[in-house]
Amino acid sequence: MTSKSFITVLTIDASTELRVQNRKQFSSTETLHQLLGDRVTLKSSVNRSSQYSERSLVLTFREGVGSGTYTVGDINSPFSAINYVERGISSLAGGSAEIVYPAIEGSIKVEASPTADMTRYHFQLEVRVKHDISGTQLTVEGTSDVDLITTRFTP
């Protein structure tokens, strides 16, 4: 008896709209995803083609996160990281550098709608982020709608 093997392909369809204090509009359909163990990382970016002006929202959470409102810093939260990231020109050797602003307070509301072949997420966030070295703080508010689509087939 021969067992059938399946190939599983995970694709993403997403749209993110943010308002970031003292920054221009953030409207993106460019979202990268990564699954490591039981953690999902979603990175929505604007200006991704420019190494000197990319801005990103990075969410890392437990796979299968359910609907609910989660508070930044709560040890029981399925979110291990909520970061706002900016890439710019560094004064050292003219290269680029990332400035990471981790969330320090606020919340993220999740509406999760799983089906057999897709999980649809609606994230609504309102967080305050802070750069650890400079102390700069920003307010980040907005939504991200994400469809994680699973396709399985026999080769």
Side-chain angles (χ1 to χ4, degrees):
M1 178 182 209
T2 306
S3 66
K4 291 184 177 182
S5 61
F6 292 90
I7 295 175
T8 302
V9 178
L10 183 65
T11 57
I12 189 167
D13 186 20
S15 175
T16 302
E17 300 284 335
L18 298 178
R19 290 170 308 289
V20 181
Q21 178 184 357
N22 298 323
R23 302 297 191 266
K24 300 291 183 198
Q25 178 180 353
F26 187 115
S27 180
S28 176
T29 56
E30 294 184 45
T31 300
L32 302 173
H33 67 285
Q34 184 176 25
L35 179 60
L36 289 173
D38 71 340
R39 293 284 168 189
V40 175
T41 297
L42 300 174
K43 179 181 179 183
S44 298
S45 300
V46 293
N47 302 330
R48 202 167 73 113
S49 61
S50 172
Q51 64 178 329
Y52 301 122
S53 63
E54 179 181 0
R55 296 183 298 140
S56 304
L57 173 68
V58 182
L59 303 174
T60 301
F61 54 93
R62 231 180 4 256
E63 185 178 21
V65 63
S67 296
T69 300
Y70 303 99
T71 303
V72 170
D74 181 347
I75 60 169
N76 296 317
S77 173
F79 288 85
S80 56
I82 300 172
N83 294 316
Y84 173 72
V85 181
E86 296 179 332
R87 179 182 297 275
I89 297 174
S90 170
S91 61
L92 296 175
S96 67
E98 277 191 352
I99 302 170
V100 178
Y101 296 84
I104 57 170
E105 63 184 23
S107 64
I108 185 166
K109 182 179 178 183
V110 179
E111 294 174 19
S113 305
T115 65
D117 61 350
M118 177 177 67
T119 301
R120 176 164 283 159
Y121 291 106
H122 173 75
F123 300 105
Q124 183 172 348
L125 68 145
E126 186 174 325
V127 296
R128 187 134 192 88
V129 297
K130 180 180 179 181
H131 183 246
D132 291 334
I133 298 169
S134 72
T136 302
Q137 294 188 28
L138 301 169
T139 300
V140 179
E141 300 174 328
T143 60
S144 186
D145 292 302
V146 178
D147 292 345
L148 293 176
I149 304 160
T150 304
T151 305
R152 290 182 177 87
F153 58 92
T154 306

